Amino acid sequence: MGFIKEFKEFAMKGNVMDMAVGVIIGGAFGKIVSSLVDDIIMPLVSTLTGGVDFTNKYIALSDKITDGLPLEKARELGSVFAYGQFVQNIIDFLIVALCIFLMIKAMNKLTKKKEEEPAAPAGPTTEELLTDIKDILQKK
């Protein structure tokens, strides 16, 4: 029974639960970013580059592959150097990194504002009080 109790204590620690929530939110965030890249950004990039579809870009490494074949057909016929999906993944990564950067920057700005709230004015120190008492006593 000790193993089950030990596992339960481990699983219910705050760190593990926070990490689980982070992983779940991260997965959902990844889907949103992938949709942003696939459905919004890449069509704009394709329009700006004259209709280039990066995900279907490759270099044929086999003589059996003719120009203009879709990537999947080309892979069936022989080896290909498919760089287009790599470009897509780099764009995904850069957008995720930018979103995380902006989110952390916003969080830091919010926490900084809370820290910058003016603290209560500090009272006089012990030395200052003793000096004031000494001055009052010397005047009498």
Side-chain angles (χ1 to χ4, degrees), residues 1-3 6 25-26 33 41-42 44 47 54 67 72 84 89-90 99 101-102 105-106 111-112 119 122 139:
M1 204 59 165
F3 177 78
E6 188 177 347
I25 290 174
V33 170
I41 293 175
M42 289 313 288
L44 292 173
T47 301
F54 283 102
D67 289 338
E72 294 305 316
N89 290 338
I90 288 173
C99 291
F101 170 75
L102 293 174
K105 188 173 179 177
T111 57
K112 194 174 188 181
K139 287 181 184 179

Side-chain angles (χ1 to χ4, degrees), residues 81-99:
F81 181 71
Y83 64 89
Q85 189 62 45
F86 183 70
V87 170
Q88 177 87 19
N89 290 338
I90 288 173
I91 293 171
D92 280 351
F93 170 76
L94 291 174
I95 292 171
V96 169
L98 177 66
C99 291

Side-chain angles (χ1 to χ4, degrees), residues 72-136:
E72 294 305 316
K73 289 281 187 186
R75 282 186 171 156
E76 291 173 8
L77 295 174
S79 296
V80 294
F81 181 71
Y83 64 89
Q85 189 62 45
F86 183 70
V87 170
Q88 177 87 19
N89 290 338
I90 288 173
I91 293 171
D92 280 351
F93 170 76
L94 291 174
I95 292 171
V96 169
L98 177 66
C99 291
I100 290 172
F101 170 75
L102 293 174
M103 188 170 38
I104 290 173
K105 188 173 179 177
M107 294 295 288
N108 286 342
K109 199 175 232 185
L110 289 174
T111 57
K112 194 174 188 181
K113 283 184 181 178
K114 287 181 183 178
E115 292 172 2
E116 289 179 359
E117 291 179 7
T125 63
T126 305
E127 288 91 18
E128 291 171 339
L129 290 174
L130 290 173
T131 303
D132 289 344
I133 292 171
K134 181 182 103 183
D135 291 344
I136 291 171

Side-chain angles (χ1 to χ4, degrees), residues 15-41:
N15 300 4
V16 175
M17 299 306 283
D18 291 343
M19 186 175 69
V21 169
V23 168
I24 292 168
I25 290 174
F29 186 69
K31 288 180 182 179
I32 291 170
V33 170
S34 292
S35 177
L36 174 69
V37 170
D38 293 341
D39 302 329
I40 296 173
I41 293 175

